[in-house]
Amino acid sequence: MSPAVHHQAAHFIAASATEKHRPLIITLFAVFVVATLVITVWAGRQTKTATDFYAGGRQFTAFQNGLAVSGDYMSAASFLGIAGAIALFGYDGFLYSIGFLVAWLVALLLVAEPLRNSGRYTMGDVLAYRMRQRPVRTAAGASTIVVSIFYLLAQMAGAGVLVSLLLGITTDAGKILIVALVGVLMIVYVTIGGMKGTTWVQMVKAVLLISGTILITFLILLKFNFNISDLLGTAAKNSGKGTDFLNPGLKYGKTGTTKLDFISLGIALVLGTAGLPHILIRFYTVPTAKAARKSVNWAIGIIGAFYLMTIVLGFGAAAILKPADIIASNPAGNTAAPLAALEIGGGADSTGGAILLAVISAVAFATILAVVAGLTLASSSSFAHDIYANVIRKGKATEKEEMRAARWSTVAIGAVAIVLGAFARDLNVAGLVALAFAVAASANLPTILYSLFWKRFTTQGALWSIYGGLVSSVVLVLFSPVVSGNPKTSMFKGVDFHWFPLENPGLISIPLGFLLGIVGSLLSKEEPDKGKYAELEVKSLTGVGAH
């Protein structure tokens, strides 16, 4: 997944969001922030029990949860990054859209219903059901927090830089202040509103994002008289690549390494979603497993429509803008959608262009806030419920104590995200998002599937799988071209300590996570509890005894 906008877009925003249009942009941002805070305070008044805080009281309908799931999933990186990848690489950029969408079939067919039936609030509930509680919950909590913080970091850095660029803030202190402000907003959303507040914010954001995308898609299609062939032809011609732009191979498939990178990225995208903690906890907010399954159907429909529109956004940007202009404002192409909005609205000096730019930027910011709230809630829930209540307090914590721990851990995780986000504000954050997906697919997914469907799975297998997937994916990304070695796109420029050739570790770390789960279980002296497995099987498949 591509990163959110960063500092290289500075001159583009500075030129387009002129002083006379800045009050409009600030007003749009303020309206959204105030509206979401009102929703959060309203939801917070109804959050009384742990079930309310963690799972929104399990009162959301399948449609509402489907809307919230799509709001949680369609991050700013998705909105800005995919359009940019298509604008620069044509067909190969479109592969991101396919990967993100196909991933939902794995979540729907293998995870959504059994997970809703088997757990209460977190992924750790399912994993610990027939294993030794303390080591497994500790591992699940650690994995959840690592995935969430890396995903959070990308969103925080993107939000800080996006806002500071739009508001014309150029000083380092000002940018750090913006990152801190986003962090404080996120802490307020989660500590006051819990899952109820977060869900409503995600629903509002999903509607905003879909509406904004429909508007830009309609205007681009209108410019080409709704002739898709004309749009694609102009994009191919304008790209300077000719018909190659519409065929596979511009980004992937040039060499043996890029072919492997494509497979690695595809595996991570398709399998990562079903292991992302902030997506998994959404299945607990509905009253039944049937509603969980239906909410995934709704999410697939909404996300599918969105990703279809990103094709028009991407190829539209390629047709309207010069590739050099897109690359000049951001080498990864992340400003393609805002640039296209500016151009389609009438250009840099026009009020129409400024309004469209302001709308798209406010939507991108709304997107970041909603995703950030979901991620923070996932990690604070996992800490409070898995580590504090079940490991530190050994299951003796009261609901009140557990909720207090969740709120304090939200503040702690928010503080960590603010500090890291401040340091990462000028970094390329692609590696952080790729890492989150790869870790989720390497550490979380094998353990969830084995727990639900393999009778012989043991505590040792779970620990080997989680820690093995976690460590291998983190180490491989640290020593990959994403972090060092590439002067244009690496996180740390000017140094080179990479020895792993691929940008995404999924090809190695995901099979390793699955393999370690098998080997750990087969070498374990512990006898699996077949009675517990039978209970879990009945519970996960039928919903009998589900919370």
Side-chain angles (χ1 to χ4, degrees):
M1 193 184 282
S2 304
V5 185
H6 54 68
H7 72 292
Q8 283 154 315
H11 70 271
F12 140 63
I13 299 281
S16 56
T18 52
E19 286 300 326
K20 65 175 180 176
H21 294 128
R22 198 156 283 144
L24 170 75
I25 294 166
I26 293 171
T27 305
L28 267 170
F29 270 77
V31 165
F32 177 77
V33 171
V34 170
T36 50
L37 281 173
V38 168
I39 291 167
T40 305
V41 171
W42 166 78
R45 287 185 173 167
Q46 300 176 27
T47 300
K48 293 179 175 66
T49 66
T51 304
D52 288 337
F53 186 85
Y54 292 131
R58 306 197 205 283
Q59 293 166 348
F60 290 101
T61 64
F63 172 70
Q64 285 175 326
N65 194 47
L67 200 56
V69 166
S70 52
D72 216 354
Y73 190 66
M74 299 182 297
S75 72
S78 182
F79 173 54
L80 300 168
I82 292 175
I86 294 171
L88 294 181
F89 301 109
Y91 182 94
D92 281 14
F94 165 59
L95 296 169
Y96 276 96
S97 297
I98 299 299
F100 286 136
L101 186 56
V102 170
W104 280 100
L105 292 177
V106 180
L108 173 66
L109 298 173
L110 295 177
V111 174
E113 195 172 346
L115 200 75
R116 167 64 191 83
N117 283 338
S118 315
R120 287 187 69 197
Y121 305 132
T122 66
M123 178 180 81
D125 287 335
V126 179
L127 305 186
Y129 191 82
R130 61 191 187 96
M131 312 285 173
R132 293 202 311 278
Q133 290 266 333
R134 295 179 74 187
V136 171
R137 282 191 185 275
T138 305
S143 173
T144 297
I145 290 166
V146 169
V147 175
S148 299
I149 281 184
F150 277 103
Y151 213 121
L152 255 180
L153 188 47
Q155 303 295 328
M156 292 283 286
V161 178
L162 179 69
V163 179
S164 56
L165 289 173
L166 283 167
L167 303 187
I169 294 165
T170 52
T171 63
D172 279 350
K175 287 178 184 175
I176 291 170
L177 193 65
I178 293 291
V179 171
L181 184 66
V182 173
V184 169
L185 270 175
M186 148 186 111
I187 292 167
V188 169
Y189 285 166
V190 177
T191 49
I192 295 177
M195 179 57 94
K196 279 190 177 176
T198 301
T199 302
W200 282 105
V201 168
Q202 283 161 349
M203 283 156 61
V204 169
K205 167 255 154 146
V207 171
L208 278 176
L209 183 60
I210 291 288
S211 306
T213 312
I214 288 171
L215 175 64
I216 303 297
T217 302
F218 175 77
L219 291 173
I220 288 172
L221 289 174
L222 185 65
K223 188 176 174 71
F224 292 92
N225 298 315
F226 294 91
N227 186 331
I228 301 289
S229 180
D230 189 18
L231 168 64
L232 294 176
T234 309
K237 187 179 170 188
N238 205 31
S239 70
K241 309 276 189 344
T243 52
D244 286 351
F245 192 69
L246 304 178
N247 292 317
L250 274 186
K251 183 171 172 65
Y252 300 109
K254 295 178 192 168
T255 64
T257 305
T258 57
K259 284 176 184 172
L260 286 175
D261 231 334
F262 169 59
I263 296 167
S264 195
L265 177 74
I267 293 170
L269 293 182
V270 170
L271 298 179
T273 299
L276 286 174
H278 67 297
I279 298 296
L280 296 178
I281 64 168
R282 292 237 53 90
F283 299 140
Y284 296 127
T285 64
V286 287
T288 63
K290 188 180 177 185
R293 198 172 62 245
K294 273 189 177 171
S295 66
V296 176
N297 286 334
W298 276 111
I300 289 174
I302 295 164
I303 293 165
F306 170 74
Y307 284 136
L308 279 174
M309 289 189 284
T310 59
I311 300 170
V312 177
L313 287 184
F315 283 112
I320 295 165
L321 308 162
K322 291 185 174 68
D325 291 344
I326 298 173
I327 292 166
S329 77
N330 181 279
N334 295 311
T335 50
L339 270 170
L342 183 69
E343 193 61 38
I344 208 89
D349 296 325
S350 66
T351 305
I355 289 172
L356 270 186
L357 175 73
V359 167
I360 290 303
S361 303
V363 165
F365 184 65
T367 298
I368 289 168
L369 276 182
V371 174
V372 155
L375 286 161
T376 314
L377 187 67
S379 42
S380 62
S381 297
S382 189
F383 174 81
H385 185 65
D386 291 325
I387 296 174
Y388 173 76
N390 286 290
V391 176
I392 297 171
R393 295 295 303 277
K394 300 178 186 174
K396 291 174 184 166
T398 64
E399 268 200 0
K400 227 172 194 172
E401 288 171 333
E402 201 175 313
M403 284 168 69
R404 192 183 305 127
R407 289 192 162 108
W408 279 112
S409 61
T410 300
V411 174
I413 289 160
V416 169
I418 289 169
V419 171
L420 292 176
F423 280 113
R425 69 188 186 282
D426 288 338
L427 298 184
N428 177 316
V429 290
L432 301 170
V433 179
L435 180 56
F437 263 73
V439 173
S442 309
N444 296 347
L445 186 64
T447 332
I448 291 169
L449 294 181
Y450 288 151
S451 289
L452 291 171
F453 303 114
W454 188 31
K455 194 182 289 186
R456 182 76 183 76
F457 196 46
T458 64
T459 302
Q460 181 173 296
L463 297 178
W464 282 29
S465 185
I466 292 177
Y467 288 127
L470 192 63
V471 171
S472 62
S473 53
V474 170
V475 167
L476 291 177
V477 168
L478 284 176
F479 293 103
S480 77
V482 165
V483 173
S484 73
N486 188 323
K488 286 184 181 172
T489 58
S490 286
M491 211 178 282
F492 296 107
K493 294 168 181 64
V495 289
D496 184 1
F497 48 83
H498 93 283
W499 48 260
F500 182 65
L502 305 183
E503 289 186 3
N504 194 293
L507 192 62
I508 308 294
S509 61
I510 297 170
L512 189 65
F514 277 98
L515 183 66
L516 285 170
I518 295 171
V519 173
S521 293
L522 296 179
L523 293 180
S524 169
K525 290 172 184 166
E526 172 193 352
E527 200 58 44
D529 189 332
K530 289 179 181 166
K532 275 280 191 190
Y533 174 73
E535 270 178 47
L536 182 65
E537 189 175 35
V538 171
K539 194 173 172 183
S540 69
L541 295 176
T542 65
V544 172
H547 292 280

